Amino acid sequence: MKIGCPTEIKPQEFRVGLTPAAAAEAVLRGHDVLVQSGAGLGAGFADQDYVDAGATIAPDAATVFADAELIIKVKEPQAAERKMLARGQILFTYLHLAPDPDQTRDLLDSGVTAIAYETVTDARGGLPLLAPMSEVAGRLAPQVGAWALQKANGGSGMLMGGVPGVRPANVVVIGGGVVGTAAARVAVGMGANVTVMDRSVPRLSYLDDIFMGRLTTQFASAAATAEAIRTADMVIGAVLIPGAAAPKLISRNQLSTMPQGAVLVDVAIDQGGCFETSRATTHQDPIYDVDGIVHYCVANMPGAVARTSTQALGNVTMPHLLALADKGWRRALTDDAHLRAGLSVHEGQLTSPPVGEALGLDAVTPASVLGL
C-alpha cells in the first residue's frame, strides 16, 4: 500500500503523523511511504531521517494526497486538505467530528473512508490511541494553568504551591480518567490543594488509594461542582464521552461565583469544551477573559511538546497503521472489533452513531458497513 504523511497545517501544530521508526516498519513490510518535505521538523525529525528509513520525500501536500492510498495525520484535515481527499482513500487521524459539522459534511462528500484515533477501543474498554495524548494534555494542564494564574497573564497572581504561611492554589479537576489523573499527579507535585471530581465511586476509590491521601475526592453532582468552584483558583475540565460532544459542566452564570482571576483549563475543547464559555484557542493566542475568569482552551495542547507527543502517538498508532496497510481497511476492521470502532465515515455514510446524534444526522454502525 502507498502510505502518505503530509505536514500538519493546523496553527501551531508541530507533531507529525508518522515517525521514522514507523516508516521503517512499513517499508520492511513492502509498503511505499511518502512523506511531505519538512513534515517532521517540528517534532525533531529531518527529511533525511525518513529517507534513511526507506521513505520517499514529496515536495508538497498535493503530491502526498494525490499519490497515497492511506493518509496518516495527527489533527483533523483542514478545509484545504479535505478538498484533496478522494473516494477510495483511507484517512487515519484524530477527527473529533461531534462539534464539527463542516468537517463531517466535507468528509461525507469526499467519499473517503475515515478512521478516528479517538474512538478506537481496546479489550479493557479504554481508548488506546487517545490515551497517550490525554496523558500529555493532562500533565500540561496544571503547567499552563499555573502560567495563566500569573498576574501578568490576567490571573489572580496565585502561586500553585504557595509558600510557608501562604496557602497554595486550590485546583479542582473535573473527571478522574486519564486526563484527570495525569493533571492531578502534576498539580499535587506542584504543591497545590487538589480535588478530583468524578461520577464513578470506584474510580474515586482508586484515586484515593494511589494518591494516599494527598488529594481530595468528591462525587461530581451538579451541586457539588457548583460548591467546589466557589473557592477554586483553577478548574481543569477533563471529561470525555467517546465520540460525542462534551457535556457543559460550568455555565456562564456560575463564573460570577468564582474568585476573580481564577483559571479554567478546558482539555475537552476538541469535543466542544466542557465549559459554556469555552471556545477553541491556539498556542499563539491561548487565553481569553470572560467575566474576570481566564480561559485556556488550546485545541491541540500536546502540540506544544511535539517531540514527546509524536513519539508517544507513534507507539500506539503503528500496529493499527500496519494492519490497515497489510490487510486493507475492510479486512483489518473485520478482524479487529476495536479498530472497527474507529470507523467514522465510509463512502458518504456516517458510521459513528454518537456523531450522528450530536449533529442530527443519520448514521449506521461500522459493523453494518462490513456486513457483520
Side-chain angles (χ1 to χ4, degrees), residues 4 7 57 66 92 109 116 127 137 191 196 199 230 298 318 338 366 372:
T7 301
I57 302 301
F92 192 37
D109 291 344
L127 301 170
V196 178
R199 287 186 176 272
R230 291 178 182 274
V298 173
M318 182 166 61
H338 300 300
L372 300 178

Side-chain angles (χ1 to χ4, degrees), residues 8-217:
E8 297 294 323
I9 61 172
K10 190 164 186 173
Q12 290 83 55
E13 179 52 69
F14 305 107
R15 290 172 290 178
V16 62
L18 191 71
T19 64
E25 290 281 345
V27 170
L28 285 172
R29 290 172 180 252
H31 304 294
D32 295 327
V33 176
L34 190 63
V35 178
Q36 184 179 346
S37 181
L41 292 178
F45 300 119
D47 287 353
Q48 190 61 46
D49 295 327
Y50 290 99
V51 172
D52 292 344
T56 300
I57 302 301
D60 50 37
T63 302
V64 174
F65 279 90
D67 292 352
E69 299 167 276
L70 191 164
I71 302 288
I72 184 164
K73 293 181 80 285
V74 178
K75 294 305 293 179
E76 70 280 358
Q78 304 300 290
E81 295 173 313
R82 299 196 292 267
K83 293 177 181 178
M84 294 187 281
L85 291 168
R87 180 174 294 271
Q89 280 185 321
I90 305 165
L91 174 65
F92 192 37
T93 188
Y94 288 116
L95 292 176
H96 299 291
L97 295 178
D100 195 344
D102 290 341
Q103 183 197 176
T104 303
R105 182 182 60 252
D106 287 349
L107 291 181
L108 290 171
D109 291 344
S110 74
V112 75
T113 295
I115 301 166
Y117 292 163
E118 71 272 12
T119 55
V120 173
T121 58
D122 63 21
R124 297 174 296 173
L127 301 170
L129 307 193
L130 188 62
M133 296 303 95
S134 296
E135 182 85 21
V136 170
R139 292 186 181 212
L140 277 174
Q143 293 181 209
V144 298
W147 173 83
L149 269 177
Q150 294 175 27
K151 194 66 179 179
N153 299 319
S156 63
M158 289 286 296
L159 180 65
M160 285 284 276
V163 293
V166 181
R167 74 164 177 86
N170 293 326
V171 176
V172 175
V173 180
I174 307 178
V178 175
V179 171
T181 302
R185 181 179 293 116
V186 171
V188 167
M190 296 175 79
N193 289 326
V194 180
T195 298
V196 178
M197 310 188 75
D198 199 281
R199 287 186 176 272
S200 169
V201 173
R203 185 65 184 180
L204 294 176
S205 297
Y206 167 77
L207 293 171
D208 184 67
D209 184 43
I210 65 169
F211 282 98
M212 296 184 292
R214 289 179 295 163
L215 53 67
T216 300
T217 58

